[in-house]
Amino acid sequence: MHPVELLELVIVCGTLLVTLLISFILKGKWRKIIQGLALLFLVSFVIFYFVRPYWIDMQIEKKVGYIQIYLEERYPVETWEYRTVPHREDGYESSNPYHIGVIFDTEPQVEYKYFARNKGDVIQLGWSTSELQSDSNNLMHLEVLED
């Protein structure tokens, strides 16, 4: 379990415990109202916890589509493949699932990282290579940020 997930669980359990303790102090209809709110809070967290991976998958699909449009406009004669973070697998918790890797067929040893906020806002975050010696001057698809 990733430390962020552990922190989320601690916060939710703490909030739920405090809410239930407050409900036991109160009497009558207030006790039932507070316990109902605690139950609603618990159910909403469980739904959020199980829906979140699917939501991330949908967002990644949408962002890959934005990057596809951007790359088709910028490099019309190129072909490429995408590499996404397998965010549901162990060991990838610290990787941002919204950073999409692109490997161009003309430059297979270099992976460029892209991020898309929306359809018109796609940026190249960086690059990585498997070669020992790399020179950024020789990269064909390196995009320089303009001020």
Side-chain angles (χ1 to χ4, degrees):
M1 181 176 286
H2 193 265
V4 171
E5 291 176 343
L6 186 63
L7 184 62
E8 288 172 353
L9 286 174
V10 167
I11 290 171
V12 167
C13 290
T15 304
L16 195 60
L17 252 156
V18 168
T19 306
L20 289 174
L21 286 174
I22 290 172
S23 76
F24 290 129
I25 294 172
L26 300 174
K27 305 246 187 248
K29 77 173 187 178
W30 286 106
R31 175 180 285 180
K32 292 202 184 288
I33 291 172
I34 298 295
Q35 287 175 347
L37 288 174
L39 182 64
L40 180 67
F41 178 72
L42 179 65
V43 168
S44 61
F45 175 73
V46 168
I47 290 171
F48 169 76
Y49 194 74
F50 285 109
V51 168
R52 181 170 49 178
Y54 300 105
W55 176 259
I56 291 172
D57 288 341
M58 287 179 10
Q59 294 300 311
I60 289 171
E61 274 184 46
K62 188 170 33 169
K63 290 177 187 302
V64 166
Y66 295 155
I67 293 170
Q68 176 76 24
I69 293 169
Y70 173 80
L71 293 176
E72 286 173 353
E73 290 173 0
R74 187 150 178 125
Y75 307 105
V77 295
E78 290 279 346
T79 55
W80 52 81
E81 67 180 55
Y82 298 103
R83 200 174 281 171
T84 57
V85 174
H87 63 95
R88 294 181 185 210
E89 296 178 13
D90 288 338
Y92 294 96
E93 294 90 353
S94 62
S95 301
N96 189 338
Y98 300 116
H99 292 179
I100 312 297
V102 176
I103 301 171
F104 292 93
D105 288 343
T106 57
E107 210 172 7
Q109 70 279 6
V110 181
E111 179 179 354
Y112 295 93
K113 292 287 187 182
Y114 284 88
F115 177 75
R117 285 188 184 86
N118 53 43
K119 191 174 185 177
D121 190 9
V122 177
I123 58 171
Q124 187 182 77
L125 298 172
W127 56 274
S128 63
T129 182
S130 58
E131 294 183 1
L132 293 177
Q133 292 188 354
S134 61
D135 184 13
S136 64
N137 295 329
N138 296 333
L139 298 175
M140 297 185 321
H141 301 94
L142 184 63
E143 299 173 11
V144 179
L145 291 178
E146 299 159 359
D147 293 328

